[in-house]
C-alpha cells in the first residue's frame, strides 16, 4: 500500500512509535526511526525492520527539544531517501503534579517535546510535501487533547495544542493532496503508562494487576488497553488513498473514554 513512500516517526525506538513504524514498514514504506535508548538495541530494531519487511530503515538521534536538529533530520531524510512523504509526530514525555507544585522546568520540557517539536517537524516537512504535491502528517495526540485529567497540566495543554495545530495545518493545505490528522489514544500500555501503573500500585499498596484494572476502570469503559499495533494500523489507513479527504480530524482510540 505504501511502497515507495518515506516516513519519519519521532519517538519510535519503543512503545507507540515503534508499533507505528513497524506497521508502516509492513505496508512497504521506508522508515526513519528517532528516539533515545541503548545504541545496540536501537541498531537491532533498525536492522530487524529492514530484514523483516524488506524496506530501508534509518535512525536519527535528533533531539526533539532542538529545532535545528529536527530540521536536519527531515532534510537529511529527504536527501538520503528521496522524499519525506509521511511524518508521524509521536515523541512525548509526561510528568504529573498539581498546578501549584508543577516544576517550571517540567512544564517547559513537556511543552517543548509534546507540542513545539510537532510544530517544528511540520514546518520542516511541509515544503518537501508541497514540492511533491502529496503528504500525510499524523500527530499522535491523546484523549487528553480533548478532555482533561487532574495533575497533568502540561500534558493536557500540549495535547490540546497539538489538536489545534492539526486543524490549522489541515486547513492551510485543504485543497492539496496533503492531509493532517490527529490520533487520540486513551490508555496504551507503553513504558510511559507503565510508570503510572507502578506509581499507583506503590501509592495504594496494591498489585500491578490491580493497579491496571483500577487505572482502566476510572476512564476507559472497555477496560482494555489500546495496543501500539492498533494505532499503527490506523496510521497506515490515514496514509492511504482511502483517507485522502480526512483532513483535520481528531480520531479517538480510547475504549469509550470520550463517549461518556
Amino acid at each position: 500500500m505504501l511502497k515507495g513512500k518515506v516516513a519519519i516517526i519521532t519517538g519510535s525506538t519503543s512503545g507507540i512509535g515503534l508499533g507505528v513504524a513497524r506497521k508502516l514498514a509492513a505496508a512497504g514504506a521506508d522508515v526513519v526511526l528517532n528516539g533515545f535508548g541503548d545504541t545496540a538495541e536501537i541498531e537491532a530494531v533498525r536492522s530487524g525492520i529492514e530484514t523483516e519487511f524488506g524496506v530501508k530503515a534509518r535512525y536519527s538521534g535528533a533531539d526533539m527539544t532542538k529545532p535545528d536538529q529536527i530540521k536536519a533530520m527531515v532534510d537529511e531524510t529527504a536527501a538520503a531517501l528521496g522524499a519525506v512523504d509521511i511524518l508521524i509526530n509521536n515523541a512525548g514525555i509526561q510528568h504529573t503534579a498539581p498546578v501549584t507544585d508543577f516544576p517550571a522546568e517540567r512544564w517547559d520540557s513537556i511543552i517543548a517535546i509534546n507540542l513545539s517539536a510537532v510544530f517544528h517537524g511540520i514546518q520542516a516537512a511541509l515544503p518537501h510535501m508541497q514540492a511533491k504535491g502529496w503528504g500525510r502528517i499524523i500527530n499522535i495526540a491523546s484523549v487528553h487533547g480533548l478532555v482533561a485529567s487532574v495533575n497533568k497540566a502540561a500534558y493536557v495543554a500540549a495535547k490540546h495544542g497539538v489538536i489545534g495545530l492539526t486543524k490549522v495545518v489541515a486547513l492551510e493545505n485543504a485543497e492539496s493532496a496533503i492531509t493532517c490528522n490527529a490520533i487520540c489514544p486513551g490508555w496504551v500500555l507503553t513504558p510511559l503508562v507503565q510508570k503510572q501503573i507502578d506509581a499507583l500500585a506503590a501509592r495504594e499498596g496494591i498489585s500491578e494487576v490491580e493497579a491496571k484494572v483500577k487505572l482502566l476502570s476510572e476512564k476507559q469503559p472497555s477496560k482494555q488497553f489500546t495496543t501500539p499495533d492498533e494505532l499503527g494500523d490506523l496510521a497506515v489507513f490515514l496514509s492511504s488513498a482511502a483517507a485522502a479527504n480526512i483532513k483535520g480530524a481528531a480520531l479517538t482510540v480510547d475504549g469509550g473514554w470520550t463517549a461518556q
Side-chain angles (χ1 to χ4, degrees):
M1 184 186 297
L2 300 179
K3 187 173 177 59
K5 303 297 186 186
V6 176
I8 297 173
I9 309 96
T10 69
S12 53
T13 52
S14 65
I16 291 172
L18 180 55
V20 171
R22 287 180 54 80
K23 286 292 185 175
L24 291 171
D30 295 328
V31 298
V32 175
L33 305 177
N34 159 263
F36 298 123
D38 179 79
T39 301
E41 290 178 2
I42 292 171
E43 173 55 24
V45 169
R46 186 206 63 79
S47 61
I49 288 174
E50 285 194 331
T51 300
E52 184 174 356
F53 301 114
V55 300
K56 295 177 182 176
R58 294 173 59 87
Y59 167 72
S60 169
D63 185 337
M64 291 296 104
T65 67
K66 309 292 185 184
D68 58 334
Q69 292 189 29
I70 295 171
K71 186 176 188 306
M73 174 181 66
V74 171
D75 292 344
E76 288 167 7
T77 296
L81 298 178
V84 178
D85 300 298
I86 301 166
L87 173 64
I88 312 289
N89 287 302
N90 169 73
I93 58 173
Q94 174 67 289
H95 180 77
T96 59
V99 169
T100 51
D101 300 326
F102 212 98
E105 64 275 12
R106 291 283 190 161
W107 170 275
D108 291 341
S109 61
I110 289 172
I111 296 298
I113 293 175
N114 293 22
L115 177 57
S116 296
V118 177
F119 166 78
H120 293 302
I122 292 172
Q123 187 178 60
L126 262 177
H128 295 284
M129 296 176 179
Q130 290 169 341
K132 191 173 181 179
W134 192 95
R136 296 288 189 267
I137 299 168
I138 302 170
N139 300 320
I140 307 299
S142 167
V143 68
H144 283 114
L146 301 168
V147 297
S149 292
V150 299
N151 298 330
K152 297 182 179 180
Y155 191 83
V156 169
K159 294 303 186 178
H160 271 68
V162 167
I163 290 178
L165 176 60
T166 297
K167 293 177 180 180
V168 171
V169 174
L171 290 175
E172 290 182 357
N173 295 275
E175 295 184 19
S176 75
I178 298 168
T179 69
C180 183
N181 294 291
I183 296 175
C184 302
W187 289 120
V188 184
L189 191 55
T190 64
L192 191 68
V193 171
Q194 185 63 49
K195 289 181 181 179
Q196 296 182 54
I197 293 169
D198 293 342
L200 177 62
R203 185 170 63 250
E204 300 200 3
I206 58 179
S207 70
E208 180 183 343
V209 171
E210 290 172 319
K212 286 180 178 178
V213 171
K214 182 176 177 60
L215 194 70
L216 289 167
S217 298
E218 287 176 355
K219 298 288 180 68
Q220 199 144 306
S222 68
K223 295 184 175 61
Q224 296 180 21
F225 286 102
T226 297
T227 69
D229 279 355
E230 289 168 349
L231 299 177
D233 284 334
L234 180 53
V236 170
F237 169 72
L238 289 173
S239 300
S240 73
N245 211 32
I246 300 177
K247 297 171 183 276
L251 303 172
T252 58
V253 191
D254 63 3
W257 187 326
T258 53
Q260 301 178 90

